[in-house]
Amino acid sequence: MRATVAMAALAVLAGCSGSNKAASSGSTGTTGVTAATTASGSTTSGGSTDTGSTSAGSTGASSTGASTGSTTAGTASSSSTTAGSTGSSATTATGSSTGTSATNGSSGSSGTPFTPASHPAWTHIPDNGGPVLDAPELLVITFSVDAEGNDGGYPFQADMEGLANFMVGSTWLTAVGAEYGVTSATAATPVRLTDPPPPTLSDSGIRGLLQQGMQAGTIPLPDNSQRIYALFLPADVTVSSPGFNGQGCQDFEGYHWMASLTVNGTSYDVPYAVILDCNLAGAGLTEQQQIEVAASHEFIESSTDPSPQNNPAWELLDTADPWHAFGGEVADLCVSDNMRAFGTTYTVQRSWSNTAAQGDGSPCVPPLTTGSPPTPRVFLGVAPIAPHVVNVTAGQTANITLEGWSTAEHILDWPVAATVVKSDLNLVPTVTPASVNNGTNATLSIPIPSNAPSGDQALLWVYTTQGASNDAQWWPLVLQVQ
């Protein structure tokens, strides 16, 4: 999945239309799509880079959706979503801070060892038994002309080919793939198509384009089962309805899937990824960086879950788990978390680590570092002490305790906020106090309208903003009217 501008498809949420899902015919999963995130009316904290810069409201390789008030059930193929919603209210954290600096040390001011406060456990992405590409071969396919036939229609050909060469031999790949069985990777000779792409494409059209190219010899046949066909489309190509009635650059920026293609009488199972050129305003990233994040997002998910519709591998399938709202695959759950790969000019997606999630710090890898020599950044956490789905009553205010913790002493309190990502209800959440510290709590208050029908639901994200020297992660929360 990848950063999309839509809403995550959360089955618990009576059908939030997936913001990160690109899907194919009639699948109900949320895997494989990079959602396009346009956070109108929401506050998002962007992923920070290894060089210390911070990108606000990043679109994530999985796309995060701009949700629109109404809840519509959608089917989605593999995709990813990230935060952000239109028409929903976000609380802004303006809480008071005391102190003068934050320390990255492991001991408190008294010299005693620092202990992170208790907090809820991160979720776990299970191995569902499907195939994993342990040595994927990434084939970059671009167009030398745009949909109108103009030369130079895709100005990032060389950049994306360079990104592929970087990713397959990088420590980033080791960090995001090794624990899931992705041990090595290679880049195939890239393909530059000279015919213009169709101005509009559905997912079936993309499969047809791949099949026709293989039959014509302009796209190589899959001479091994590990080849991922990564199709980069020019900005003037519109991709629609990839399984959840969405449209590219509004609901997603990319997705991945598996195609069964017959070429000259021979059948092939072909993992493929589609990466769009969206150049979303307010993403905090350049046009090229948005494409890089989407591409890295879909590459690692194509490797760790190449056949999500028929034989899922590493994917969170439990739709009762609010984390499923992010999309369910390894990059989806870290969709707001971009980083600049150290020593390069590329911006890539961090990815969920079950191993890291067993600790107190960020579950997303590679770890963000600061200074020289590099040291891990302090993780500033906040999470609701609540069940997966919180039952609420019409006409009453739901009060949920939020717990703060960190991985090292942090003298300054850190701001806490909540945003409504998708909802059947008109909700205005507030957080009091608007900041926490290690071992301190805040209360998330959500007045429920008196006319709220039984069964209505809402998806919220609880999060903390952080400076360039810190790290943080969103936390999902689902409300349901009794």
Side-chain angles (χ1 to χ4, degrees):
M1 303 162 77
R2 190 191 128 38
T4 68
V5 176
M7 233 344 358
L10 180 62
V12 171
L13 240 186
C16 283
S17 132
S19 96
N20 337 270
K21 296 69 184 123
S24 110
S25 53
S27 74
T28 56
T30 61
T31 80
V33 175
T34 295
T37 154
T38 59
S40 164
S42 70
T43 305
T44 62
S45 62
S48 52
T49 70
D50 263 353
T51 60
S53 65
T54 305
S55 60
S58 87
T59 61
S62 255
S63 115
T64 135
S67 81
T68 63
S70 67
T71 309
T72 51
T75 60
S77 82
S78 159
S79 71
S80 72
T81 36
T82 115
S85 68
T86 64
S88 64
S89 60
T91 68
T92 57
T94 58
S96 61
S97 297
T98 58
T100 56
S101 65
T103 68
N104 291 334
S106 59
S107 298
S109 57
S110 64
T112 58
F114 180 86
T115 302
S118 64
H119 55 86
W122 301 109
T123 194
H124 176 87
I125 298 179
D127 180 2
N128 297 290
V132 169
L133 306 184
D134 61 343
E137 180 190 55
L138 184 58
L139 172 61
V140 171
I141 304 172
T142 57
F143 290 84
S144 297
V145 295
D146 61 21
E148 295 182 354
N150 300 312
D151 289 339
Y154 190 73
F156 306 110
Q157 278 186 322
D159 300 301
M160 295 307 112
E161 292 165 2
L163 173 67
N165 287 323
F166 159 73
M167 289 192 298
V168 301
S170 65
T171 56
W172 169 83
L173 178 65
T174 303
V176 300
E179 72 177 274
Y180 302 110
V182 183
T183 57
S184 64
T186 56
T189 302
V191 171
R192 295 185 173 187
L193 300 176
T194 56
D195 290 336
T200 60
L201 278 169
S202 64
D203 185 62
S204 61
I206 288 169
R207 295 173 182 232
L209 191 153
L210 291 172
Q211 184 179 41
Q212 293 164 16
M214 291 177 188
Q215 290 174 338
T218 55
I219 296 176
L221 291 170
D223 54 10
N224 65 71
S225 60
Q226 305 253 14
R227 177 174 291 166
I228 300 170
Y229 290 75
L231 183 65
F232 291 80
L233 295 173
D236 65 342
V237 175
T238 299
V239 178
S240 61
S241 300
F244 56 91
N245 299 321
Q247 181 166 308
C249 297
Q250 292 182 17
D251 302 299
F252 59 92
E253 294 173 58
Y255 66 96
H256 77 90
W257 208 236
M258 177 78 78
S260 295
L261 304 180
T262 299
V263 182
N264 300 323
T266 302
S267 296
Y268 302 93
D269 288 331
V270 179
Y272 67 100
V274 179
I275 297 95
L276 309 184
D277 179 1
C278 295
N279 197 19
L280 298 174
L285 301 172
T286 66
E287 181 178 2
Q288 178 177 328
Q289 287 173 331
Q290 292 177 50
I291 299 170
E292 291 168 352
V293 170
S296 61
H297 180 121
E298 300 307 331
F299 174 43
I300 190 57
E301 290 187 344
S302 294
S303 301
T304 57
D305 193 25
S307 187
Q309 75 277 36
N310 295 325
N311 199 3
W314 293 98
E315 182 183 346
L316 182 61
L317 298 176
D318 180 7
T319 56
D321 187 336
W323 288 95
H324 185 272
F326 287 86
E329 294 183 304
V330 296
D332 294 332
L333 272 62
C334 296
V335 72
S336 63
D337 236 343
N338 308 320
M339 63 173 289
R340 185 180 300 282
F342 180 74
T344 78
T345 59
Y346 301 111
T347 301
V348 291
Q349 168 81 57
R350 294 172 80 194
S351 188
W352 189 273
S353 164
N354 284 332
T355 300
Q358 296 177 18
D360 298 305
S362 176
C364 301
V365 293
L368 296 180
T369 58
T370 189
S372 181
T375 57
R377 298 182 185 180
V378 177
F379 183 81
L380 307 179
V382 63
I385 305 176
H388 277 175
V389 178
V390 178
N391 291 321
V392 297
T393 302
Q396 297 186 7
T397 296
N399 292 308
I400 299 167
T401 300
L402 306 180
E403 202 164 41
W405 82 96
S406 60
T407 53
E409 183 181 26
H410 197 276
I411 297 174
L412 296 175
D413 291 350
W414 48 94
V416 177
T419 186
V420 179
V421 181
K422 187 75 174 178
S423 180
D424 299 319
L425 310 168
N426 182 19
L427 302 179
V428 181
T430 58
V431 177
T432 309
S435 60
V436 296
N437 208 300
N438 188 61
T440 70
N441 295 338
T443 299
L444 171 61
S445 298
I446 311 154
I448 308 301
S450 58
N451 61 348
S454 176
D456 274 12
Q457 295 181 324
L459 170 66
L460 291 82
W461 288 356
V462 176
Y463 62 98
T464 176
T465 56
Q466 78 279 9
S469 62
N470 299 315
D471 194 3
Q473 173 71 18
W474 298 74
W475 199 289
L477 177 67
V478 172
L479 306 181
Q480 179 169 281
V481 181
Q482 293 180 313

